Amino acid sequence: MSVYNTLSDASKKKFAILIDPDKPSDEQIIEIVEKSKVVGVDFFFVGGSLLTTDSLDHCIKLIKKHCDIPVLIFPGNSLQISKWCDGFLLLSLISGRNSEMLIGRHVIAAPYLKLYGNEIIPTGYMLIDGGCPTSVSYMSNTTPIPHDKDDIAMCTALAGEMLGLKIIYMDAGSGAINPISKEMISKVKKTVSVPLIVGGGIRTPEKAAECAKAGADIVVIGNALEKNTDNLKEFAEAIHSAIDN
Ligand code: 1GP
């Protein structure tokens, strides 16, 4: 089964853990992987707005050595490419108006992605204002969609789907103060037919459940599990048991 087919399987909500390969030690990665196997985490997303070490390959190989959970690259820039991943979220930053993020970086990455034979998932990536400047808004030099402008989010997602993008990722940015509102998630979900990923600033299982119930097909948790994996099981249960409101 392709990674995209797994992402699009609407029979249950999915739980993705974001790992910034710069941050955790090998022991921390192994701990999170072992716990993830027990509770049925669906995906690992690996990447970051800015990597300062040469650890992407190592991180992916370490995860894959310890589990069969698909590892997708969630790239912060065109250097974040690896032949070891199971899938690659080829992000077009459709909430912004920076042509480098819409097509420029893709031109640079495309021959390497072809060489490595990665499964490509064309992704409409939408930044939503999370109440504070985030690394991704600064590094991408784009303005996020305002937190309460549901109509802009809906039309942006719709345009992305019409352009042929296969998945929409709405992100308040890692460490956002305010996660994306359930109203916006719900309206975007009703507007598009492609799968919807939601992440950024989700710190509790209750909030994760709220996002999933509002319509997120895949909920991404990063920071909240980075240093403390105690409630990984609760996150998994909250997401996996959610059904659309
Ligand atoms: C950011 O959606 C991810 O791209 C995860 O965000 O680290 O805030 O959970 P957090």
Side-chain angles (χ1 to χ4, degrees), residues 18 74 125 169 171 173-176 199-202 220-224:
L18 174 64
F74 172 48
Y125 186 50
Y169 188 154
D171 194 353
S174 194
I202 301 170
V220 188
I221 310 295
N223 272 313

Coordinates of all heavy atoms in Angstrom, one line a residue, residues 18 74 125 169 171 173-176 199-202 220-224, ligand 1:
L18 N 5.8 14.5 14.9 CA 6.9 15.3 14.2 C 8.2 15.2 15.0 O 8.2 15.6 16.2 CB 6.5 16.8 14.0 CG 7.5 17.7 13.5 CD1 7.9 17.3 12.0 CD2 7.1 19.1 13.5
F74 N 9.1 16.0 6.1 CA 8.3 17.2 6.2 C 9.4 18.3 6.1 O 9.9 18.8 7.1 CB 7.6 17.3 7.5 CG 6.8 18.5 7.8 CD1 6.1 19.2 6.9 CD2 6.9 19.1 9.1 CE1 5.4 20.4 7.2 CE2 6.3 20.3 9.4 CZ 5.5 20.9 8.4
Y125 N 0.4 23.4 1.5 CA 0.8 23.8 2.9 C 0.3 25.2 3.2 O 0.6 26.1 2.5 CB 2.4 23.7 3.0 CG 2.9 23.8 4.4 CD1 2.4 23.1 5.5 CD2 4.0 24.7 4.6 CE1 2.9 23.3 6.7 CE2 4.5 24.8 5.9 CZ 4.0 24.1 6.9 OH 4.5 24.3 8.2
Y169 N -2.2 20.6 4.3 CA -1.6 20.6 5.6 C -1.8 22.0 6.2 O -1.2 22.9 5.7 CB -0.1 20.2 5.5 CG 0.6 20.0 6.8 CD1 1.7 19.2 6.8 CD2 0.3 20.6 8.0 CE1 2.5 18.9 8.0 CE2 1.0 20.4 9.2 CZ 2.1 19.6 9.2 OH 2.8 19.3 10.3
D171 N -1.1 24.4 9.2 CA -0.1 24.4 10.3 C -0.1 25.8 11.0 O 0.1 26.8 10.3 CB 1.2 24.1 9.7 CG 2.3 23.7 10.8 OD1 2.0 23.8 12.0 OD2 3.4 23.3 10.3
G173 N 2.2 26.4 13.0 CA 3.6 26.5 13.2 C 4.0 25.9 14.5 O 3.2 25.9 15.5
S174 N 5.2 25.3 14.5 CA 5.6 24.6 15.7 C 5.7 25.5 16.9 O 6.3 26.6 16.8 CB 7.0 23.9 15.5 OG 7.2 23.0 16.5
G175 N 5.1 25.2 18.0 CA 5.2 26.0 19.2 C 4.2 27.2 19.2 O 4.2 28.1 20.0
A176 N 3.2 27.1 18.3 CA 2.2 28.2 18.2 C 1.5 28.3 19.5 O 1.3 27.3 20.3 CB 1.2 27.8 17.1
G199 N -1.7 20.7 12.4 CA -0.7 20.7 13.4 C -0.4 22.1 13.9 O -0.9 23.1 13.4
G200 N 0.5 22.1 14.9 CA 1.0 23.4 15.4 C 0.3 23.8 16.7 O -0.9 24.1 16.7
G201 N 1.1 23.7 17.8 CA 0.6 24.2 19.1 C -0.4 23.3 19.8 O -1.1 23.8 20.7
I202 N -0.5 22.1 19.3 CA -1.5 21.2 20.0 C -0.7 20.5 21.2 O 0.2 19.7 21.0 CB -2.0 20.1 19.0 CG1 -2.7 20.8 17.8 CG2 -3.0 19.1 19.7 CD1 -3.0 19.9 16.6
V220 N -0.9 16.3 13.9 CA 0.5 16.2 14.1 C 0.9 16.8 15.4 O 0.5 17.9 15.8 CB 1.2 17.0 13.0 CG1 2.8 16.8 13.1 CG2 0.7 16.7 11.6
I221 N 1.7 16.1 16.2 CA 2.1 16.5 17.5 C 3.7 16.6 17.4 O 4.3 15.5 17.1 CB 1.7 15.6 18.7 CG1 0.2 15.4 18.6 CG2 2.1 16.2 20.0 CD1 -0.7 16.6 18.8
G222 N 4.2 17.7 17.8 CA 5.7 17.8 17.8 C 6.2 18.1 19.2 O 6.5 17.2 20.0
N223 N 6.2 19.4 19.5 CA 6.8 19.9 20.8 C 6.3 19.1 22.0 O 7.1 18.8 22.9 CB 6.5 21.4 21.0 CG 7.5 22.3 20.4 OD1 8.7 22.1 20.6 ND2 7.1 23.3 19.6
A224 N 5.0 18.9 22.1 CA 4.4 18.3 23.3 C 5.0 17.0 23.6 O 4.9 16.6 24.8 CB 2.9 18.2 23.1
Ligands
1GP1 C1 4.6 22.0 13.2 O1 2.6 20.8 13.0 C2 3.8 20.8 13.6 O2 4.8 22.0 11.8 C3 3.9 20.5 15.0 O3 3.8 21.6 15.9 O4 5.6 21.3 17.5 O5 3.7 22.8 18.0 O6 3.3 20.4 18.0 P1 4.1 21.5 17.4

